[in-house]
Amino acid sequence: MTKADIVSALEEIAVLLELRGENPFKIRAYQTGARALETMEEDLDALLEADELGKVPGIGSALIEKIATLRTGGELPFLESLRDSVEPGLIEILEIPGLGAKRVRKMHEALGVDSIEALQAACESGAVAGIKGFGAKTAEKILSGIEQRAAYAKRHLWWQADAVARPILEGLRSLPQVKRAEIAGSLRRLKETVGDLDFVVAASEVEPVMEWFVSQAAVESVTAQGVTKSSVRFAGGLQADLRVVPEEQFAFALHHFTGSKEHNVALRQRALARGYSLSEWGLTQKDDAEAGPTGHGIENEAGLFEFLGLAEIPPELREGVGELEAAEGGALPDLLEPEMVKGVFHNHTDASDGRDTLEAMAAAAKELGFDYLGLADHSKASFQANGLDDVRVLKQLEKVRAYNASGSGGAHLFAGIECDILKDGSLDLEDATLAALDYVVVSVHSAFGIGEAEMTARVIRAIEHPSTTILGHPTGRLLLRREAYAIDLAKVIDAAIANGVIIEINANPQRLDLDWRMWRRAAERGLHCAINPDAHSTKGLEYYRAGVNIARKGWLPAAQILNCRDLAGVKRWLKERR
DNA sequence: GCCGTTTTCGGCCCGACTGTTTTCAGTCG
């Protein structure tokens, strides 16, 4: 089983335990364990081999045993018997918003509800409303949840969610009652996908702000409206929450609703150890609970962190992966800023499947403030993308050289290629062609299903090709659409480091590949990075900002990002490399 | 099930909103 499969198995165990009504802390332990395994940057096999998996916080002896069994392809009797003891239909029912394990169990016990269809019938017949603790409104909500569940369960790409959120934030800030307003949640943490939008506002008056929020033109339904919180749903299923708090609580609320959950738990534990209970309302001194939470004069998040003896942790690092320890020890990274990016590699023109010409791309790059632009059209194996054969590649190379010599005013062009990694790991163009170019991006675009060992060997062979400069979108995932292919990234990263090959952050909002979770450890081991928008039009160049987000989230130091070098620096680097 | 400068046993983050209730359970984040 791959690591991702094991993570799913642990998550499944947690869900099944929940449906059985078992100890909530045990359930949480499995959720924590799954999360720890998922975000762990070390190589799983190496840790198992060295008997060091237990050093990962959240993974103890019981989980080690189960993870080891699953990794070696064994059956897990514990999971099998859990599956046998829970009606499979209940898991699906659990996904309906507003229904948790307890109510799902209650309906199962009282009415024998064991599928979405049975649930719908039971709601329509009035049977659900008759259960003690349930009522007509509950049944109604369940029915609407069933109807819309596909749309409600959907997550959204960060890039798209951000585009929805920006104007709402501006709208909030323009209200006369609003003193401060920020986006919170996973959007603020720059997660690759976003479940819903969270806004936190400090205002002199609550009601007009809430009113403005719930009556926005795009709102389809209002799902909650209280004294401090309102929730709305837009067409398409995206949900947005607004919290309005007094100004002295703004820093606490903003921090709380930014999360992550894991980060908040860790910070609250730290507060408890120092004699304070921390909540979105403030800090309560433990031996003076009567007094209630107060702001302690804290005006912003930096003040909150300082109060707890920490440097300010940027939102994108708040994932519960050791950021508190780093903030305590002065080891937080200096994060990449968009202005530090001097150019990008891996972009397409109308020579293959891009929409715009070489000249238009160079001009657009200049417009964005770039000094240089790398062109990497597809190679011939990507037939569907009008990939270039050796002759066309060399022709484009001439065109690039001529453009650079013409003094046209656009960004300096580097002549590259996105060369297909064929099924056996060989490259799609002649060695002489590849050697003539400024750089070579190698990518997998075919035979995704060949299995982990074969895929790993295939990609490593491509990395070892003397002309390879950059590995493109190393897992092939399309967020919310297609899973990554099976590949041992730890081995691929090792090979890249050993061969001086860069791995890209493919900044297309649907890819964001290599994932931020991998970068911190990989960079510590010496891996270098290139941020590449994989632009297929002039507009697509703007995606580089999504790549900057991922670099920040991955703790990547600028010194290891090729795009941070100036034109002369990149020329020098490529020359030394080739 | 995990974890330990107050603990190897007994804790495990904290609060808002809803719908059902006459004080609270369930869900969510």
Side-chain angles (χ1 to χ4, degrees):
Chain A
M1 257 191 184
T2 65
K3 195 171 91 167
D5 293 333
I6 301 173
V7 170
S8 307
L10 296 180
E11 283 166 350
E12 186 185 355
I13 290 173
V15 171
L16 293 170
L17 290 173
E18 209 179 351
L19 283 168
R20 284 172 53 93
E22 308 248 355
N23 179 355
F25 297 108
K26 188 171 171 177
I27 296 164
R28 188 192 299 172
Y30 276 98
Q31 288 164 341
T32 308
R35 169 114 194 134
L37 184 62
E38 187 184 26
T39 55
M40 173 185 96
E41 290 155 319
E42 292 84 359
D43 180 46
L44 176 58
D45 292 329
L47 284 184
L48 282 170
E49 180 83 10
D51 205 18
E52 284 186 341
L53 189 54
K55 286 189 179 166
V56 178
I59 299 181
S61 54
L63 264 74
I64 293 173
E65 202 177 307
K66 292 184 175 76
I67 291 168
T69 305
L70 291 169
R71 181 61 184 167
T72 51
E75 295 277 299
L76 213 53
F78 175 66
L79 175 54
E80 300 303 325
S81 69
L82 264 180
R83 280 179 180 148
D84 289 342
S85 70
V86 175
E87 286 287 343
L90 300 189
I91 296 169
E92 206 183 348
I93 296 177
L94 199 55
E95 286 164 10
I96 297 168
L99 285 185
K102 291 188 176 163
R103 291 163 115 178
V104 171
R105 282 181 66 211
K106 217 167 183 179
M107 291 189 293
H108 183 230
E109 281 161 14
L111 307 170
V113 166
D114 60 359
S115 68
I116 299 270
E117 293 70 31
L119 176 61
Q120 185 165 2
C123 286
E124 283 164 353
S125 74
V128 165
I131 306 174
K132 190 171 161 56
F134 289 62
K137 279 208 165 177
T138 306
E140 222 171 274
K141 275 203 156 183
I142 293 173
L143 282 174
S144 121
I146 290 173
E147 213 172 295
Q148 307 271 12
R149 73 184 194 282
Y152 290 174
K154 215 178 136 211
R155 291 184 68 84
H156 306 265
L157 295 179
W158 181 91
W159 190 266
Q160 292 167 356
D162 187 61
V164 175
R166 290 288 146 196
I168 298 175
L169 182 65
E170 292 315 311
L172 286 167
R173 284 180 174 162
S174 69
L175 298 175
Q177 300 85 359
V178 170
K179 295 174 181 162
R180 296 169 76 179
E182 290 292 347
I183 293 170
S186 46
L187 190 81
R188 183 166 182 239
R189 296 202 317 279
L190 309 179
K191 278 283 292 282
E192 61 275 22
T193 63
V194 171
D196 59 11
L197 309 181
D198 292 284
F199 299 92
V200 179
V201 163
S204 54
E205 247 186 301
V206 176
E207 232 173 85
V209 182
M210 292 290 191
E211 200 44 47
W212 179 88
F213 187 71
V214 300
S215 54
Q216 294 173 86
V219 168
E220 198 175 61
S221 66
V222 179
T223 52
Q225 193 171 1
V227 183
T228 67
K229 178 195 166 178
S230 292
S231 298
V232 299
R233 231 189 280 273
F234 301 115
L238 181 60
Q239 180 169 314
D241 294 345
L242 168 68
R243 332 266 165 166
V244 183
V245 300
E247 200 168 12
E248 54 275 20
Q249 278 147 9
F250 183 79
F252 295 92
L254 178 61
H255 177 270
H256 173 82
F257 292 110
T258 296
S260 65
K261 196 170 189 251
E262 291 76 9
H263 169 87
N264 286 356
V265 168
L267 198 68
R268 284 173 179 196
Q269 280 167 345
R270 184 178 176 90
L272 279 175
R274 297 175 162 235
Y276 293 91
S277 165
L278 171 65
S279 79
E280 63 261 50
W281 294 108
L283 288 152
T284 309
Q285 203 142 13
K286 248 196 301 189
D287 44 18
D288 189 19
E290 292 294 308
T294 53
H296 291 262
I298 291 169
E299 289 180 1
N300 51 37
E301 289 180 323
L304 172 56
F305 285 114
E306 192 189 345
F307 188 88
L308 296 172
L310 298 170
E312 183 178 8
I313 301 173
E316 53 270 58
L317 303 190
R318 300 179 198 165
E319 295 292 347
V321 291
E323 67 273 14
L324 262 57
E325 291 77 356
E328 186 171 36
L332 286 172
D334 287 326
L335 298 182
L336 180 69
E337 300 290 343
E339 312 79 69
M340 295 161 72
V341 174
K342 307 292 182 208
V344 292
F345 311 86
H346 189 175
N347 304 288
H348 299 265
T349 71
D350 59 0
S352 65
D353 63 346
R355 218 179 51 199
D356 294 309
T357 62
L358 171 154
E359 293 81 5
M361 293 295 281
K366 192 73 187 174
E367 191 72 17
L368 278 174
F370 293 157
D371 296 329
Y372 51 85
L373 178 74
L375 299 182
D377 273 308
H378 286 287
S379 67
K380 63 182 189 296
S382 280
F383 184 76
Q384 78 291 345
N386 187 25
L388 278 57
D389 60 16
D390 293 83
V391 174
R392 290 174 65 205
V393 170
L394 294 172
K395 219 180 254 174
Q396 190 186 44
L397 172 62
E398 293 305 312
K399 208 172 161 188
V400 165
R401 297 278 183 262
Y403 180 85
N404 286 338
S406 72
S408 63
H412 175 88
L413 294 178
F414 286 112
I417 189 77
E418 184 184 17
C419 185
D420 267 42
I421 301 175
L422 303 178
K423 195 178 171 199
D424 65 356
S426 62
L427 298 185
D428 184 31
L429 294 166
E430 298 292 334
D431 286 352
T433 308
L434 296 173
L437 294 164
D438 293 329
Y439 69 101
V440 173
V441 180
V442 297
S443 307
V444 168
H445 289 118
S446 61
F448 293 148
I450 58 176
E452 182 175 317
E454 204 182 332
M455 184 64 90
T456 305
R458 171 188 183 183
V459 171
I460 288 177
R461 188 179 164 199
I463 285 173
E464 287 170 345
H465 190 287
S467 287
T468 296
T469 327
I470 296 175
L471 173 63
H473 47 72
T475 78
R477 74 171 179 194
L478 295 178
L479 291 164
L480 309 176
R481 266 183 58 197
R482 186 175 77 202
E483 290 297 309
Y485 39 71
I487 189 164
D488 188 334
L489 281 174
K491 292 200 177 86
V492 169
I493 289 167
D494 280 341
I497 294 169
N499 289 281
V501 165
I502 285 173
I503 292 184
E504 78 174 4
I505 291 176
N506 189 297
N508 183 308
Q510 198 163 50
R511 291 190 182 269
L512 303 180
D513 181 15
L514 184 63
D515 191 281
W516 59 268
R517 293 164 186 80
M518 304 298 297
W519 275 109
R520 182 176 167 197
R521 172 125 177 95
E524 279 169 8
R525 282 158 59 211
L527 184 66
H528 284 240
C529 164
I531 294 170
N532 286 327
D534 198 354
H536 285 69
S537 67
T538 54
K539 191 87 183 143
L541 288 170
E542 292 171 14
Y543 292 155
Y544 86 94
R545 283 180 172 268
V548 171
N549 289 350
I550 298 305
R552 292 172 66 88
K553 217 165 165 50
W555 301 51
L556 259 169
Q560 280 169 256
I561 301 172
L562 182 62
N563 316 60
C564 291
R565 295 175 192 245
D566 60 15
L567 178 57
V570 172
K571 281 183 176 171
R572 203 162 46 239
W573 189 88
L574 289 174
K575 201 171 169 189
E576 280 166 16
R577 166 77 196 127
R578 296 178 73 78

